Amino acid sequence: MFRPLTLLSVLALAVLAASLSACSPLKLVNAVSPDGDARATGAVHYGNGERQKLDVYQPAVQAGAAPVIVFFYGGNWVSGKREDYAFVGQALAKRGYVVVVPDYRLYPEARYPDFLDDSAQAVAWTTREIAKYGGDPKRLFVMGHSAGAYNAAMLALDKRWLGKQGLRPDALRGWIGLAGPYDFLPVQNKTTRPVFNYPDTPADSQPVRHVSAGAPPALLIAAYEDKTVNPVRNTGALATRLREKHVPVRELYYDGVSHATLVASLSRALHTLAPTLDAIDDFVRSDAGRQSAAR
């Protein structure tokens, strides 16, 4: 049973509903999210491009090497910046994780699959460098919301992208998708169409086409009332494909949140909306995702 929303939470939710479209920068959530439980290192280059930078969040107090989560934000591959998702890094760092939040190239500078190459490059940087920030590269997870969940899914399921960096999906202990689009052909969204070269979108651009035995365990979370990404076609169908291949997967759906506020529920101000943070914590800590995912 969740506690009633505080006045601060109600106010934040009201402003979100009035002013934010799906996956818009969550500046308000950052404004009402304390950051005293995390140390942040900003604007670290993982590549040479202006958008190839990342921020690292560490627990304020840390004993030993911690599990690592690389978080990719959403924005329909046309918008978003890492600073707007500081609340994600802070919330997960408070739980004891080292968190990497990278930017990646967006349309029109980039199209499919450029942002996947950037995402894989950010993960490769993490495997090489994260020990310097107190992270354990052998306990590495990728996570994303919306378009960012697509990026995470493709890294976990399609070996091409990490392969370019000399890695394989089994370098990941697991992956976490929040409201991800995993099966969206033919592309209906007019903003998304040029990103994926519509009408010539490659069939193998879809995560559901890359499910295979031995893929990393998955935690898939969606909102029941998601009006942006159909949870049945995307989260439900991908979970079914994973189970067919005997890949451990945990599938969760929440009431009381939307496409945008699902990720906002990670923040301290809005955590009472849904137990998203607890589910992620359980997934990562339960035998590095394997026991929890199999429930």
Side-chain angles (χ1 to χ4, degrees):
M1 181 72 68
F2 290 104
R3 299 188 303 274
L5 292 177
T6 64
L7 179 61
L8 180 61
S9 297
V10 171
L11 176 61
L13 182 59
V15 176
L16 276 172
S19 64
L20 295 176
S21 60
C23 297
S24 297
L26 301 177
K27 296 179 180 178
L28 175 63
V29 181
N30 279 319
V32 296
S33 297
D35 60 1
D37 298 303
R39 294 176 287 150
T41 304
V44 179
H45 284 271
Y46 67 85
N48 296 323
E50 181 59 31
R51 294 274 310 176
Q52 294 176 321
K53 297 178 185 176
L54 54 81
D55 296 338
V56 181
Y57 297 86
Q58 301 169 249
V61 178
Q62 188 172 342
V68 180
I69 299 175
V70 180
F71 174 78
F72 301 105
Y73 53 74
N76 208 4
W77 303 280
V78 301
S79 66
K81 55 184 179 179
R82 64 187 190 279
E83 297 93 339
D84 288 339
Y85 292 84
F87 71 92
V88 175
Q90 292 160 2
L92 291 169
K94 183 185 178 184
R95 294 293 180 108
Y97 305 119
V98 174
V99 186
V100 176
V101 182
D103 279 330
Y104 51 91
R105 287 173 293 166
L106 302 171
Y107 181 83
E109 178 187 359
R111 297 173 185 254
Y112 170 85
D114 298 329
F115 39 81
L116 295 179
D117 285 327
D118 287 1
S119 298
Q121 195 170 346
V123 169
W125 178 94
T126 302
T127 62
R128 295 191 308 267
E129 305 292 337
I130 205 62
K132 299 175 184 177
Y133 299 85
D136 182 354
K138 294 183 179 180
R139 291 186 289 168
L140 174 63
F141 295 76
V142 292
M143 169 181 165
H145 170 246
S146 194
Y150 169 92
N151 292 5
M154 288 295 277
L155 296 191
L157 301 176
D158 184 350
K159 63 183 180 182
R160 290 178 293 176
W161 314 113
L162 288 178
K164 290 184 179 182
Q165 302 297 324
L167 299 171
R168 301 189 311 183
D170 62 10
L172 306 174
R173 289 293 286 171
W175 72 279
I176 301 152
L178 307 181
Y182 310 120
D183 180 17
F184 54 89
L185 294 187
V187 181
Q188 300 296 319
N189 186 294
K190 292 182 179 179
T191 301
T192 309
R193 284 179 170 180
V195 179
F196 284 85
N197 301 300
Y198 178 88
D200 300 317
T201 309
D204 65 2
S205 65
Q206 304 299 289
V208 292
R209 292 180 174 263
H210 298 283
V211 176
S212 62
L219 170 63
L220 304 180
I221 304 176
Y224 276 116
E225 299 300 323
D226 192 326
K227 304 301 184 184
T228 303
V229 175
N230 185 301
V232 175
R233 178 178 178 181
N234 291 275
T235 296
L238 182 58
T240 297
R241 293 278 187 95
L242 290 165
R243 291 191 183 100
E244 289 172 350
K245 296 294 184 179
H246 306 289
V247 177
V249 57
R250 189 176 187 192
E251 177 187 6
L252 299 172
Y253 300 90
Y254 296 144
D255 288 313
V257 286
S258 66
H259 184 78
T261 57
L262 177 62
V263 70
S265 70
L266 294 175
S267 72
R268 187 176 303 182
L270 297 177
H271 75 280
T272 52
L273 291 177
T276 314
L277 186 58
D278 290 338
I280 294 167
D281 197 23
D282 180 57
F283 176 74
V284 174
R285 293 193 185 280
S286 298
D287 190 23
R290 282 151 174 79
Q291 291 178 3
S292 176
R295 290 180 195 168

